[in-house]
């Protein structure tokens, strides 16, 4: 991830998110493949931005590698 050489840890805001929560790398060749392949789904987006943040945080935490 550009700007996050060790990857993006669960629960840490991506450095590529703008103040309005848009991807600064969207449409650019340096955008990571995992981000390009991600397809939004109601289970991760919820009904509004607050619910989306809660759902995505829970998803990140439940899928992070064990340390």
């Amino acid at each position: 991830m550009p700007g996050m050489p060790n990857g993006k840890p669960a629960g840490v805001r991506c450095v590529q998110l703008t103040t309005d929560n848009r991807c600064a790398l969207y449409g650019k060749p340096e955008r990571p493949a995992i981000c390009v392949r991600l397809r939004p789904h109601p289970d991760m987006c919820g009904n509004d931005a607050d619910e989306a943040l809660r759902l995505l945080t829970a998803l990140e935490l439940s899928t992070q590698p064990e340390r």
Side-chain angles (χ1 to χ4, degrees), residues 8 11 13 17 20-22 38-61:
K8 192 197 87 48
R13 182 176 170 82
L17 283 178
D20 60 351
N21 292 320
R22 296 182 185 269
L38 180 66
R39 296 294 177 253
H41 187 275
D43 289 346
M44 75 171 76
C45 297
N47 295 310
D48 57 36
D50 289 334
E51 186 176 8
L53 186 56
R54 284 191 301 277
L55 292 169
L56 289 171
T57 298
L59 181 62
E60 276 193 337
L61 293 173

Side-chain angles (χ1 to χ4, degrees), residues 26 31-41 44:
Y26 190 85
R31 188 172 184 218
I34 188 70
C35 299
V36 171
R37 289 191 310 265
L38 180 66
R39 296 294 177 253
H41 187 275
M44 75 171 76

